[in-house]
Amino acid sequence: DLKINDSLTISGPGTIVATNTPANRIYSDNGSHLTHAAGHTIRGSMQLGANLMSITNNGLIEGVGSQGLIIDTDGNGFDNNNLVRATSSASVTISDTAFDNSGATIQAQDNSNVSISGSTILSGTLTSEGTGFMSFTGSELNSVTNNASLRLPNNNSDVLRNTFINNATLSMNSI
């Protein structure tokens, strides 16, 4: 575990790398705020936030490994100003998070996926490459541009609000 106390900025050209287990966590126990600066990378499989802190991302947050990366912030949410992506057959799960993606991108690269669950995505762009895809369950997309293969699984109710610019495919998979 990497525990954040008070408000913290992580900067520099380095990388925080987590092994392939969801037991890795970056979190706080006192409602702190993490600012992830431009030029820095957080990469691997982990729980980011653990429903205990808010995050501002100005760098690269990258899910790598079969166990995936879970973003689950406290009630103050996640401000993405750069890139959150799943790569190398990995997944990124955005869970129960108010996710401000204004001017930024959430990406599923080839053979990877991003799952948006119980969250609101405000603005920005969703993208996927090759066989990469995104799914959303119990979530809201508000003023989003979709350049991704976006899937709505069976037995789910999701919301599109304000504008939805669909440049790719949204698949509704009810049975």
Side-chain angles (χ1 to χ4, degrees):
D1 286 356
L2 181 58
K3 189 173 172 183
I4 306 301
N5 285 322
D6 302 319
S7 292
L8 174 72
T9 298
I10 298 175
S11 62
T15 302
I16 294 174
V17 178
T19 57
N20 192 28
T21 174
N24 296 312
R25 299 186 304 170
I26 299 177
Y27 73 102
S28 164
D29 62 3
N30 63 359
S32 296
H33 182 83
L34 171 65
T35 299
H36 182 232
H40 193 269
T41 301
I42 296 175
R43 174 181 292 132
S45 295
M46 71 184 80
Q47 298 174 55
L48 186 55
N51 197 31
L52 297 167
M53 71 178 185
S54 58
I55 300 169
T56 299
N57 177 45
N58 298 310
L60 169 62
I61 296 177
E62 185 172 60
V64 175
S66 63
Q67 298 300 307
L69 184 142
I70 300 166
I71 297 171
D72 182 12
T73 61
D74 68 9
N76 293 314
F78 189 105
D79 293 325
N80 186 33
N81 300 311
N82 195 3
L83 179 60
V84 172
R85 71 179 172 204
T87 66
S88 306
S89 302
S91 66
V92 168
T93 299
I94 300 170
S95 179
D96 301 315
T97 294
F99 196 102
D100 186 342
N101 197 44
S102 300
T105 301
I106 303 168
Q107 179 183 59
Q109 290 189 329
D110 191 32
N111 200 32
S112 66
N113 71 82
V114 173
S115 174
I116 302 165
S117 176
S119 297
T120 297
I121 307 297
L122 175 62
S123 198
T125 304
L126 308 177
T127 65
S128 64
E129 299 173 354
T131 60
F133 68 92
M134 295 193 187
S135 64
F136 68 121
T137 56
S139 296
E140 177 180 304
L141 302 179
N142 185 341
S143 303
V144 169
T145 299
N146 181 47
N147 297 327
S149 172
L150 185 58
R151 300 176 184 176
L152 174 59
N154 186 39
N155 290 323
N156 282 282
S157 180
D158 295 278
V159 176
L160 300 178
R161 187 174 309 278
N162 291 319
T163 59
F164 180 72
I165 300 170
N166 190 27
N167 298 317
T169 302
L170 179 124
S171 301
M172 297 172 56
N173 298 310
S174 293
I175 52 174

